Amino acid sequence: MTQLGTVVITEDSEHAGACVWWELAGEAPALALREALVDLGVSETLWPRAITAESAFRRAMLVFQNASTLVRPMAHGAYAVLPRERDSSDRPRFVTAWTARLNEASDLEFTDADPTTCDDVWWEYSQALQSYGHQDLSAWLAQCAAHCSAVRLRSSGGFYFVPRPGLQLWRACVSALEAVSESRSFTIPALATRDAVAAVLHALREEAGEVLGAIDEELTGGTLQARALKSRADKCRALEAKLTEYASLLGNALPDVQTKLESMGARIGAAELALSTAGGVSL
């Protein structure tokens, strides 16, 4: 039904896929999120990465940063906390009050911090080890989108088109997140209209250009070894599969991109042959 230029559709309408985005709120308990993903049948290969001590410590320290206090990284895994003070001329300055360091055993070491501060940092650190923050979740959702053959509709990320075959998996991933946190995801079904197809193809062309451009720079540098060349060949095959999927879904191909992709495949093959001839090991 069309009214005032608006196309109204339902979840059951035939659509090419959906535009998706999310709003993160608070943290997500790591164990609860993994359990929710298991319940929804999401493969372990798509779970968020394990929380590292380094990332948890960084999140714990940034809790102490505010308008009047800076937190700055130092060498050897340490952070300095610098509250704002005023010098004799009443000019603001930041002076290190205390530091904290994550040692090789993943324990915390402090310098000039009072016992209460030490306890506060330990508590924040222990909490961060058990939950995913916004940066972790954003990276994970982008990984899920990529696994669902999505294309980025906004250069800064966070807004994607997920093709119809990937929607079930995408909904499972974001449903798990919503079940254990205050974060929310949004989905707008996208009909295969001329403007919608043009937007998706533009995004796909941009993505292909980024992938092929990066590989071109690496091949031009001439420093890729056998394992790296195999990895770049795998990227090209994945991109080719994605182009084929979108051509079938939207009824539009990108022949110029396909030509560039074939040319890049040939260059990688030539580089592998040259490396093998020079005595390298082909993996």
Side-chain angles (χ1 to χ4, degrees):
M1 178 178 67
T2 303
Q3 183 178 7
L4 299 179
T6 301
V7 178
V8 181
I9 61 177
T10 69
E11 286 290 330
D12 296 327
S13 300
E14 184 67 14
H15 54 272
C19 298
V20 304
W21 72 99
W22 57 83
E23 291 183 359
L24 299 178
E27 299 179 339
L31 180 58
L33 179 56
R34 289 195 294 269
E35 290 176 344
L37 290 168
V38 170
D39 291 343
L40 290 168
V42 177
S43 168
E44 184 176 351
T45 58
L46 260 186
W47 295 0
R49 294 179 179 178
I51 299 170
T52 65
E54 291 77 12
S55 66
F57 180 50
R58 176 182 177 278
R59 285 170 51 205
M61 291 303 300
L62 289 179
V63 169
F64 297 88
Q65 181 163 285
N66 53 51
S68 61
T69 304
L70 298 179
V71 175
R72 289 290 181 263
M74 301 170 61
H76 309 297
Y79 283 84
V81 177
L82 302 84
R84 181 170 58 189
E85 301 177 354
R86 293 195 173 274
D87 61 17
S88 57
S89 300
D90 200 34
R91 291 175 301 188
R93 63 175 185 172
F94 290 88
V95 180
T96 299
W98 54 275
T99 66
R101 172 178 175 268
L102 182 71
N103 64 24
E104 292 77 6
S106 297
D107 288 328
L108 304 185
E109 299 175 353
F110 298 91
T111 301
D112 297 328
D114 60 65
T116 299
T117 297
C118 294
D119 289 343
D120 290 344
V121 177
W122 268 109
W123 189 87
E124 295 291 349
Y125 175 54
S126 65
Q127 293 297 108
L129 283 170
Q130 302 174 58
S131 62
Y132 292 106
H134 286 195
Q135 188 173 1
D136 303 315
L137 294 172
S138 289
W140 172 62
L141 289 170
Q143 172 196 347
C144 293
H147 193 84
C148 296
S149 295
V151 290
R152 190 178 61 212
L153 296 176
R154 186 171 58 192
S155 59
S156 58
F159 188 57
Y160 293 83
F161 170 80
V162 178
R164 187 170 60 245
L167 280 176
Q168 182 176 353
L169 177 57
W170 171 258
R171 288 179 176 129
C173 292
V174 294
S175 294
L177 177 60
E178 290 177 336
V180 302
S181 73
E182 297 300 316
S183 297
R184 291 292 175 263
S185 66
F186 305 92
T187 302
I188 298 180
L191 293 174
T193 62
R194 182 181 62 184
D195 288 346
V197 170
V200 172
L201 290 179
H202 174 76
L204 186 58
R205 187 186 299 277
E206 290 288 309
E207 179 182 315
E210 290 176 8
V211 172
L212 296 178
I215 296 176
D216 176 67
E217 288 185 9
E218 293 171 326
L219 288 176
T220 302
T223 58
L224 294 180
Q225 298 302 307
R227 188 184 297 273
L229 287 170
K230 180 180 182 301
S231 172
R232 302 320 183 266
D234 290 342
K235 282 187 176 182
C236 286
R237 282 190 287 270
L239 179 57
E240 183 175 19
K242 192 168 188 176
L243 289 172
T244 301
E245 178 181 354
Y246 273 78
S248 174
L249 180 69
L250 302 177
N252 293 74
L254 295 174
D256 57 322
V257 176
Q258 185 65 42
T259 299
K260 292 178 182 178
L261 182 58
E262 291 171 358
S263 175
M264 185 61 70
R267 288 181 62 190
I268 294 173
E272 290 177 320
L273 179 60
L275 185 64
S276 176
T277 302
V281 179
S282 179
L283 297 178

